[in-house]
């Protein structure tokens, strides 16, 4: 691939794609498609509109919307005129949106629906730099504003004398080192920072992925992660660079049904998705007969042996082949069908994925390429690949990216994938980069003797108990949250005597469990206050206690009647806990866990659990 920047990449695909389907989307309950030709025409038309609206080099254009063809069309059009795309999560609050629009000095904001458009127009804080709001949805507003225009109407403005030649000239001016996007990190602490990425940063990812994975125009991706996130967006660039089809998932809650519709061959996801599939499989197994449990365990063992033999190029004997065919038919195929039945490989990032979950899927014939990265690194720093992986690791650093482990365990990186810095944040840049140019990730990790990177926790998220013990909360949350009856876990305990937690049950699963015993709850608030439910969740958590040292175990918890949400800023769009926000929202409840246990009791002593 000789493309020098993202615009050149997509123009090449448009020219060669013709009438073949490029992107798919759901409209009126059915999947529809745009051909490469239609897709390219829309990108060019919008690029002309942007130029007529005065969008020049380095001008910021925001997108506040769910995944859709319009989202990616806008992104490519902005880059085509040397503008800067500023993605905003669809779930962001109006205050967060206004902050980003002001900080980025956006001149246009594209929104997915009328509700978002009206929320912007009703805000008294809308920045003066914002000249237009373009709404994808054509439904009329209750009140009109001169700054608002609907998508189709905006595209019609593309017609005009000389515009085609001007666009051609602008396309020729795009440079590989142009700033092309500012992505605001949701972060787990502090206010958002705008990460500046250029074409070189983004193209480094395509080059690295091509070196490790095989993709072609026969592949299909279900775009499940938000395009506002660097992980989901760059994945889309990579898939489209090969002419593969993209199916946009506009609502993450529909991903299970979309998997069956699309039958993707590839998908990027976060560990939470894979954890829940694994937990559901394990839950079903608990109620199975002893024979079925033994069959399941046997099938997983056969599957592991089969796929390891293939990986190492070992010959597979007739008996092993017969065993695998039987195990696949009775067990393994059914697991693959949960993901549509056509997956060649998956990608996982955003948080650590448990080793046993990787091994489970691998045994079933599904390889999950766990990786690691940040928005600041475009995003990939390291990843496993089908030909080189180690369960529990995040793989080896990608080509062109250097990784070093600091004396305190922090992961430091250098490379073409690393951001030039934070927009309008000189002090943050000084903190992020040291005098030798190494970017400090804020993550704790280690490199093994073969160069595989293992991430253990966030440096700033490490809990230091009153007794001086360092605890990695994400590790605890990962295991406890993997239980079928537990949806979310947020651990606390910094400078406290012991670890406590806020726990959100899997309300539907808990309700079903107690209904089978003739016990009914009128709602989540009543459910989490019931002593029987508290005891049941305690028993589930106790099963995982053996994994942890005594000082790491949750000694007290409270059940919450509603999930931690993106909208309230309690979790990021990739489902990571924003601990400081959670601590602020539930300060009195957290404090009650320590008062109930006699304040700062001796560390490691039995404390019991309450709700």
């Amino acid at each position: 691939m000789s493309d020098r920047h993202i615009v050149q990449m997509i123009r090449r695909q448009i020219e060669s794609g013709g009438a073949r389907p490029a992107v798919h989307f759901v409209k009126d309950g059915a999947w529809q498609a745009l051909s490469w030709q239609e897709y390219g025409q829309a990108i060019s038309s919008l690029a002309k509109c942007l130029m007529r609206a005065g969008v020049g080099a380095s001008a910021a254009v925001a997108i506040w919307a769910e995944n859709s063809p319009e989202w990616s069309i806008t992104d490519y059009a902005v880059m085509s005129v040397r503008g800067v795309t500023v993605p905003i999560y669809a779930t962001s609050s109006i205050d967060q949106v206004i902050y980003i629009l002001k900080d980025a000095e956006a001149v246009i904001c594209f929104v997915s629906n009328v509700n978002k458009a009206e929320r912007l127009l009703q805000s008294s804080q809308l920045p003066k730099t914002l000249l237009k709001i373009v709404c994808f949805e054509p439904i009329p507003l209750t009140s009109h504003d001169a700054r608002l225009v609907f998508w189709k109407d905006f595209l019609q403005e593309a017609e005009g004398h000389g515009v085609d030649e001007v666009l051609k000239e602008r396309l020729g001016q795009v440079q590989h080192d142009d700033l092309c996007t500012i992505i605001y990190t949701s972060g787990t602490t502090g206010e958002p920072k705008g990460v500046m990425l250029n074409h070189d940063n983004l193209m480094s990812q395509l080059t690295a992925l091509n070196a490790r994975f095989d993709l072609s125009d026969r592949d299909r991706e279900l775009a499940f992660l938000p395009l506002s996130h660097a992980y989901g967006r760059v994945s889309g660039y990579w898939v489209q660079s090969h002419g593969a089809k993209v199916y946009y998932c506009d609502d993450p809650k529909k991903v299970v049904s979309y998997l069956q519709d699309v039958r993707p061959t590839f998908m990027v996801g976060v560990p939470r998705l894979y954890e829940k599939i694994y937990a559901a499989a394990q839950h079903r197994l608990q109620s199975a007969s002893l024979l079925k449990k033994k069959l399941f365990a046997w099938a997983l063992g056969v599957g592991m042996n089969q796929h390891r033999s293939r990986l190492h190029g070992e010959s597979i004997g007739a008996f092993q082949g017969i065993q695998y065919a039987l195990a696949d038919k009775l067990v393994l195929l059914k697991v693959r069908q949960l993901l549509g039945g056509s997956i060649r490989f998956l990608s996982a990032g955003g948080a650590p994925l448990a080793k046993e979950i990787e091994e489970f899927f691998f045994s079933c014939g599904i390889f999950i390429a766990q990786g690691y990265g940040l928005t600041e690194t475009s995003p990939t720093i390291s990843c496993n690949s089908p030909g080189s992986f180690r369960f529990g690791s995040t793989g080896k650093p990608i080509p062109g990216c250097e990784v070093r482990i600091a004396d305190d365990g922090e992961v430091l990186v250098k490379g073409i994938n690393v951001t030039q810095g934070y927009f309008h944040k000189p002090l943050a840049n000084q903190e992020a980069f040291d005098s030798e140019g190494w970017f400090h990730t804020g993550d704790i990790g280690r490199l093994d003797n073969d160069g595989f990177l293992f991430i253990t926790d966030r440096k700033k998220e490490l809990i230091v108990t009153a007794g001086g013990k360092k605890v990695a909360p994400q590790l605890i949350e990962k295991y406890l949250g993997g239980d079928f009856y537990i949806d979310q876990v947020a651990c606390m305990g910094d400078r406290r005597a012991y670890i406590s937690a806020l726990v959100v049950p899997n309300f539907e699963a808990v309700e079903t469990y107690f209904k089978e015993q003739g016990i009914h709850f009128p709602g989540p608030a009543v459910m989490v206050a019931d002593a029987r439910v508290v005891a049941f969740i305690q028993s589930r958590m106790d099963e995982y206690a053996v994994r942890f040292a005594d000082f790491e175990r949750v000694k007290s918890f409270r059940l919450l009647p509603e999930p931690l949400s993106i909208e309230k800023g309690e979790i990021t769009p990739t489902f990571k806990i924003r601990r400081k926000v959670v601590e602020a929202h539930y300060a009195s409840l957290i404090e009650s866990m320590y008062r109930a246990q006699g304040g700062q009791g001796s560390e490691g002593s039995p404390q019991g659990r309450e709700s």
Side-chain angles (χ1 to χ4, degrees), residues 322-359:
I322 292 171
Q323 276 192 317
Y324 178 74
L326 184 60
D328 193 58
K329 181 178 181 180
L330 296 177
V331 176
L332 308 181
L333 176 61
K334 294 176 182 178
V335 176
R336 294 199 301 276
Q337 287 174 338
L338 293 174
L339 290 162
S342 298
I343 289 289
R344 296 202 298 116
F345 61 95
L346 297 167
S347 175
L353 181 65
K355 180 181 177 182
E356 59 261 41
I357 295 178
E358 289 183 284
E359 293 175 338

Side-chain angles (χ1 to χ4, degrees), residues 3 5-17 36 39-45 47-48 76-77 80 167-168 171 174 240:
D3 303 322
H5 49 70
I6 297 297
V7 175
Q8 190 175 31
M9 177 277 291
I10 198 62
R11 301 302 299 184
R12 173 177 59 82
Q13 283 301 331
I14 289 166
E15 290 171 6
S16 63
W36 279 103
Y39 194 54
Q41 287 173 345
I43 293 171
S44 294
S45 293
K48 295 173 191 177
Y76 286 128
S80 296
L167 175 58
K168 185 176 180 180
L171 287 169
V174 178
Q240 291 191 313

Side-chain angles (χ1 to χ4, degrees), residues 130-149:
L130 194 68
L131 304 176
K132 280 186 182 293
I133 298 169
V134 182
C135 184
F136 297 153
E137 191 176 62
I139 301 173
L141 296 175
T142 55
S143 61
H144 189 66
D145 188 293
R147 290 169 295 183
L148 176 74
V149 62

Side-chain angles (χ1 to χ4, degrees), residues 101-134:
L101 293 177
K102 284 183 176 180
D103 192 69
E105 300 172 356
V107 295
I108 299 178
C109 182
F110 287 80
V111 298
S112 55
N113 55 53
V114 166
N115 176 265
K116 285 182 169 59
E118 288 191 322
R119 288 164 69 190
L120 282 176
L121 292 173
Q122 291 167 4
S123 173
S124 61
Q125 301 298 315
L126 207 60
K128 293 180 180 180
T129 57
L130 194 68
L131 304 176
K132 280 186 182 293
I133 298 169
V134 182

